[in-house]
Amino acid sequence: LKSLAATPVIASSMTGVAGVMPASAGLVVPAHDAAALARAIERCISNPHVIPDMSASAREFAETFSTDKFVEELTVFLHRMI
């Protein structure tokens, strides 16, 4: 998930990232499909204007997995348990 910090991702449908990544943060290609991977790369190269939006979405998504956020949510949970 750290790769999502500031760059769009091209993930294989076989990876865990593809299952949780929002569509706006990158592209998902079928596993073991080199032609689909090439098309996804070509799409990014041919449409550089989409990269900033994809990067922003990726960054926003990655921030939901920060250590600070985890500690904050764990603290709230533990306070509820007391």
Side-chain angles (χ1 to χ4, degrees):
L1 291 173
K2 289 187 181 217
S3 64
L4 291 172
T7 57
V9 172
I10 299 175
S12 163
S13 59
M14 193 168 135
T15 67
V17 172
V20 297
M21 176 183 78
S24 59
L27 304 171
V28 178
V29 298
H32 310 293
D33 188 340
L37 176 59
R39 286 190 300 273
I41 293 169
E42 169 81 23
R43 181 175 167 198
C44 289
I45 292 170
S46 298
N47 300 291
H49 61 279
V50 303
I51 301 299
D53 289 341
M54 291 171 74
S55 295
S57 180
R59 186 178 311 105
E60 193 175 293
F61 177 65
E63 287 171 358
T64 67
F65 294 95
S66 73
T67 303
D68 291 340
K69 182 76 171 166
F70 172 76
V71 170
E72 178 185 324
E73 290 179 5
L74 180 61
T75 301
V76 169
F77 173 76
L78 292 174
H79 280 272
R80 282 191 217 148
M81 299 303 291
I82 296 176

